Amino acid sequence: MIFHARAELLDAIVLAVISKNSEQNYGYKIAQDVRETIDISESTLYPVLRRLEKDNSLEVYDMEYGGRNRRYYKIKAKGLVQLKSYYEEWKSYTNKINKIFGDSIMPKTEFMNRLKELLEDLPAEEEEAVLTYYADCFEDADDINWAYTKEKHL
């Protein structure tokens, strides 16, 4: 991912992951669940967990597992309040960003015409190969998934 996650976003993601599973939230499992969304190392995750514990957003307790102690994390009331705040802020932020991006998404026909203009300096064979590739990629893309298709193939 080219966008870097700041501390607040990491806090929000970790709180969301922990809130979805009331039991069995230990460090390694939380890291695996978070990695389904963003790339994060355990060395980045543990300071987030400590910060959330210090802020009284998480309850931390140890239990024996396989002859060793395992540290578990559970969201507290303050953590739920903070998660709701993060969620509302995220909705507002993404709506604003989507408005900006939404205005820049071209219809398929306009995109193909623009691409053809940009490829004019290429030899005819290469230009045709590129145009054919994109025409094939977007042939089945309807208006709803056009933005996703364009993002995936560009």
Side-chain angles (χ1 to χ4, degrees), residues 25-79:
N25 284 309
Y26 54 93
Y28 180 76
K29 180 173 183 329
I30 295 168
Q32 295 301 316
D33 292 347
V34 169
R35 283 187 189 121
E36 291 178 9
T37 305
I38 62 169
D39 187 27
I40 188 172
S41 67
E42 289 180 40
S43 63
T44 301
L45 174 67
Y46 285 105
V48 173
L49 291 168
R50 282 192 294 277
R51 181 174 58 246
L52 291 170
E53 176 187 10
K54 185 179 176 185
D55 290 345
N56 207 26
S57 294
L58 294 178
E59 176 185 335
V60 180
Y61 57 97
D62 294 327
M63 287 180 49
E64 186 179 329
Y65 178 83
R68 297 178 52 195
N69 270 344
R70 182 182 273 176
R71 180 152 288 178
Y72 290 87
Y73 301 85
K74 187 174 183 179
I75 196 163
K76 295 173 85 173
K78 184 176 179 185

Side-chain angles (χ1 to χ4, degrees), residues 5-23:
R6 293 180 24 164
E8 296 83 2
L9 182 56
L10 289 173
D11 289 358
I13 291 169
V14 168
L15 286 172
V17 164
I18 293 172
S19 73
K20 289 180 187 252
N21 184 11
S22 61
E23 301 296 325

Side-chain angles (χ1 to χ4, degrees), residues 39-128:
D39 187 27
I40 188 172
S41 67
E42 289 180 40
S43 63
T44 301
L45 174 67
Y46 285 105
V48 173
L49 291 168
R50 282 192 294 277
R51 181 174 58 246
L52 291 170
E53 176 187 10
K54 185 179 176 185
D55 290 345
N56 207 26
S57 294
L58 294 178
E59 176 185 335
V60 180
Y61 57 97
D62 294 327
M63 287 180 49
E64 186 179 329
Y65 178 83
R68 297 178 52 195
N69 270 344
R70 182 182 273 176
R71 180 152 288 178
Y72 290 87
Y73 301 85
K74 187 174 183 179
I75 196 163
K76 295 173 85 173
K78 184 176 179 185
L80 287 173
V81 169
Q82 186 61 48
L83 178 58
K84 180 164 178 22
S85 173
Y86 283 140
Y87 177 73
E88 294 301 322
E89 185 65 29
W90 181 254
K91 280 191 335 187
S92 172
Y93 178 75
T94 55
N95 284 337
K96 291 173 186 174
I97 297 298
N98 287 338
K99 285 180 185 176
I100 293 169
F101 284 144
D103 292 341
S104 66
I105 296 174
M106 288 182 239
K108 291 179 279 191
T109 307
E110 183 181 341
F111 174 83
M112 293 301 288
N113 289 337
R114 171 85 178 162
L115 181 62
K116 189 171 185 169
E117 289 172 15
L118 293 171
L119 297 174
E120 285 177 350
D121 294 335
L122 286 178
E125 288 177 1
E126 289 181 37
E127 179 183 340
E128 186 60 33

